Amino acid sequence: MKNILNYKTVISCAAFILFTASGCKKVLNPEPIGTQTVDANFTTFNGAVTAVNGIYAQLTNGNLYRGGNQLIAVDYASDDVLDDPQAVSAGYSAVDYFELPANNGMTFSIWDDFYRLIYRSNLVIDRVPAINFPTAFLTNGTGTSFKSQFIGEAQFLRAFAYFNLVRLFGDVPLRTAEIKSATEINIPRAKVADIYAQIEKDLTDAAVNLPGSYTNSGNGNERGRVTKWAALGMLADVYLTQKKYTEAKATALRVIQNTNGFRLNTAYKDNFFPLNGGNENTQESLFEIQFSSTGFGPTGTAPQGQGFSGLMGPTTDIVGGNPALARYRPTDNVSLIGNEPGFTGGLIQEYETGDIRLTDNFAIGRAGNGAMIYLTKKFYEVGRGSTGNGNYPVYRMAEMYLIYAEATNELGAPDVQAIDYINQLRRRGFGLPLNVVAASDIAAVQTQTSFRTIVRSERRKELAMENKRWFDMLRYGFAFMQDALVTKQKRIRFDQNKMLFPIAAVEIIQNPLLTQNPGY
């Protein structure tokens, strides 16, 4: 049963058709139609809560994790995810085969949705400090100031937006304050280093401002809001991405040793709504995108479910069959659909015999052309289509174990703790107790090279289809990507320029201070 944060939108925009650049472009409209004005909203405690909820809502009301699922679609570019060419989804295939043009709706949606989220975050950070809250609403149930909490939530979400933008596009415009006039709209791209400096600052500040947990009682205390551990978890990821291994190791360990009860679930399937019987925001979850088919969408009445079942399910799932399904499937060396001659390096083949993560993540189903292939199972709810209930995990404790192991190894060699963390994940993957020595354990003595291969494999298996692989490949570097994508999977259009996505042409037209990424 859901008892979590229900997002309510503060700013709305028309939906965009997948991979077209047409549609409305209401640049950060400060006065949403049919809602309170910004000035009126930032006067009361309830107004502040609504504004903060509106930041979260941008993750689900647009096309990032709902609608076109554009942020999730980024992983089509990785070696883990393939489209079904028979599914009439040429937009996804354009990412898959590195044929995405500058004039496209995918990168427009990602850019547009994240900058709307940034605008909302800036409003909260700038305006909440001046609101006079009643005495009863000065602190939440954990003793944290509500003002600090709300600002911390906005700082986390702004950092989340910039972390995705900088990895996808490189240099991007950096906004850290409310836009108050038309003359402030067009600004040039800031350097990657400056973006990361702001992300680090936001997450460091958020970790101070946010509570370690929520009481789940009352407005502003709902489960599903970000905690200090979510902020530190993302900060560990940010450090690892920049190859700041000392900081990544220390920050991941701090999260692992948290005092608020976050820890690994006993079973892998416990992390995923369709597999565990409907549990969400579990003890392993640091940050999830919240969904509910009985929640409220932009109009206040439409179900706010996700469409992962429609994206991943077999053609026979929806009444009458639907050839547009089966689009988000794992790479498989023996698949009869979409593989070039000599295709290797499939995700399915990464799993060892007996690793139950294979059957938890994937199942055989019917594709768009009628063939039986592996389909994604971990987010798939039978019959739900575009109104699924399940949340989407962004950060789990398991990833902190993996970050610690990778960062430690890149500092020279794995330590005993790093090897133990990998073994705990492997034991769980084989359905065994976390802390009992098992035949599935890796050897206690590893070189830096051998352990690097193990950690990368464990990340791929543990975090499969969780929107991580493309970003992992970027971190591993161009030579790794060239081998995985071109040599093994024959995706010959990949080159170094394709490590960044194109900025949508419409954005450059509207902001002449922007420049396009090379190769587009």
Side-chain angles (χ1 to χ4, degrees):
M1 177 180 176
K2 288 269 185 177
N3 187 18
I4 57 167
L5 169 65
N6 277 320
Y7 302 150
K8 297 179 180 178
T9 102
V10 193
I11 304 174
S12 63
C13 181
F16 296 97
I17 299 174
L18 179 62
F19 300 134
T20 64
S22 62
C24 68
K25 175 63 175 174
K26 301 175 183 176
V27 180
L28 306 175
N29 181 2
E31 296 191 5
I33 297 173
T35 63
Q36 291 181 320
T37 65
V38 169
D39 289 338
N41 202 56
F42 285 97
T43 57
T44 64
F45 172 81
N46 286 336
V49 172
T50 299
V52 174
N53 289 356
I55 311 174
Y56 289 100
Q58 189 60 50
L59 296 171
T60 58
N61 287 349
N63 282 295
L64 295 173
Y65 292 97
R66 193 171 180 264
N69 297 295
Q70 313 291 38
L71 188 58
I72 298 171
V74 165
D75 258 356
Y76 280 107
S78 78
D79 59 350
D80 275 4
V81 186
L82 281 179
D83 191 15
D84 175 1
Q86 304 296 320
V88 197
S89 51
Y92 294 129
S93 293
V95 181
D96 201 342
Y97 291 99
F98 299 100
E99 297 175 335
L100 194 67
N103 183 29
N104 76 90
M106 174 188 175
T107 57
F108 171 74
S109 291
I110 292 173
W111 182 285
D112 188 69
D113 282 349
F114 272 133
Y115 274 105
R116 289 175 184 276
L117 186 152
I118 289 165
Y119 174 73
R120 298 181 187 193
S121 299
N122 289 340
L123 279 174
V124 168
I125 293 167
D126 287 353
R127 295 198 177 216
V128 161
I131 304 174
N132 292 318
F133 289 171
T135 301
F137 295 104
L138 292 180
T139 61
N140 64 21
T142 65
T144 301
S145 159
F146 265 124
K147 282 190 179 182
S148 294
Q149 175 193 315
F150 294 159
I151 292 169
E153 289 178 271
Q155 290 167 329
F156 174 94
L157 292 164
R158 181 170 71 181
F160 181 67
Y162 277 123
F163 189 33
N164 281 286
L165 287 168
V166 74
R167 290 181 295 175
L168 292 173
F169 301 107
D171 299 348
V172 295
L174 179 60
R175 299 186 183 278
T176 58
E178 174 186 351
I179 296 174
K180 295 183 177 180
S181 72
T183 60
E184 299 172 355
I185 292 176
N186 291 338
I187 59 175
R189 301 168 71 172
K191 297 297 184 183
V192 165
D194 294 334
I195 303 297
Y196 273 114
Q198 183 61 48
I199 293 169
E200 289 182 20
K201 182 179 186 305
D202 273 348
L203 292 174
T204 301
D205 290 345
V208 173
N209 287 328
L210 288 166
S213 62
Y214 293 94
T215 63
N216 202 30
S217 59
N219 210 9
N221 271 308
E222 301 93 338
R223 292 173 62 197
R225 294 183 180 277
V226 294
T227 67
K228 70 179 293 181
W229 306 113
L232 290 171
M234 182 159 58
L235 183 59
D237 192 13
V238 169
Y239 285 141
L240 187 71
T241 299
Q242 299 176 87
K243 305 187 187 306
K244 294 183 176 181
Y245 298 123
T246 299
E247 294 89 340
K249 175 182 177 178
T251 307
L253 185 62
R254 186 177 171 190
V255 179
I256 292 168
Q257 296 176 338
N258 77 88
T259 57
N260 286 97
F262 292 100
R263 59 189 182 277
L264 291 182
N265 286 319
T266 302
Y268 181 73
K269 68 179 182 180
D270 291 345
N271 293 291
F272 310 108
F273 179 93
L275 303 181
N276 66 25
N279 292 322
E280 298 172 315
N281 302 304
T282 68
Q283 64 187 14
E284 186 167 330
S285 174
L286 297 172
F287 177 46
E288 296 183 1
I289 308 299
Q290 309 290 314
F291 287 102
S292 173
S293 65
T294 58
F296 295 98
T299 64
T301 58
Q304 189 69 350
Q306 37 82 346
F308 306 142
S309 293
L311 184 66
M312 302 170 184
T315 60
T316 54
D317 179 52
I318 306 302
V319 175
N322 186 344
L325 304 184
R327 291 173 294 176
Y328 200 78
R329 61 188 181 92
T331 51
D332 175 11
N333 295 348
V334 300
S335 174
L336 299 177
I337 299 179
N339 289 356
E340 303 294 335
F343 186 103
T344 61
L347 173 58
I348 293 299
Q349 283 68 41
E350 193 78 21
Y351 292 90
E352 301 161 58
T353 301
D355 191 335
I356 62 177
R357 290 175 295 189
L358 173 61
T359 51
D360 280 345
N361 287 332
F362 308 108
I364 299 293
R366 193 174 301 280
N369 70 345
M372 300 302 290
I373 60 172
Y374 275 105
L375 302 177
T376 302
K377 173 183 175 183
K378 70 197 297 183
F379 306 120
Y380 167 62
E381 302 170 51
V382 177
R384 298 301 306 194
S386 60
T387 56
N389 287 284
N391 291 350
Y392 190 87
V394 177
Y395 284 108
R396 299 191 280 117
M397 285 296 295
E399 188 169 359
M400 299 302 106
Y401 283 44
L402 291 161
I403 289 175
Y404 179 94
E406 181 176 338
T408 300
N409 191 57
E410 296 303 327
L411 288 169
D415 59 15
V416 173
Q417 190 68 75
I419 290 174
D420 179 62
Y421 285 157
I422 293 300
N423 279 333
Q424 286 190 50
L425 297 182
R426 286 180 58 80
R427 291 165 194 159
R428 184 171 72 171
F430 283 86
L432 303 170
L434 294 175
N435 296 308
V436 177
V437 175
S440 61
D441 288 0
I442 63 170
V445 178
Q446 298 285 339
T447 66
Q448 185 184 49
T449 300
S450 66
F451 194 64
R452 180 182 293 130
T453 299
I454 289 168
V455 172
R456 290 179 178 181
S457 177
E458 289 306 313
R459 275 193 71 94
R460 194 178 184 192
K461 292 179 289 190
E462 177 72 26
L463 305 176
M465 318 311 258
E466 293 182 40
N467 201 209
K468 301 289 182 179
R469 182 62 175 176
W470 176 252
F471 296 127
D472 286 347
M473 295 179 79
L474 290 174
R475 189 171 71 255
Y476 301 155
F478 176 69
F480 179 94
M481 301 175 79
Q482 182 80 1
D483 177 64
L485 297 170
V486 179
T487 303
K488 292 179 179 176
Q489 297 193 350
K490 316 304 178 186
R491 293 157 70 185
I492 60 174
R493 291 179 179 83
F494 173 76
D495 59 38
Q496 197 154 7
N497 287 331
K498 299 304 189 297
M499 293 175 72
L500 293 178
F501 279 68
I503 297 173
V506 67
E507 295 289 349
I508 295 176
I509 292 171
Q510 293 186 101
N511 180 2
L513 299 181
L514 293 178
T515 56
Q516 183 58 273
N517 283 325
Y520 295 100

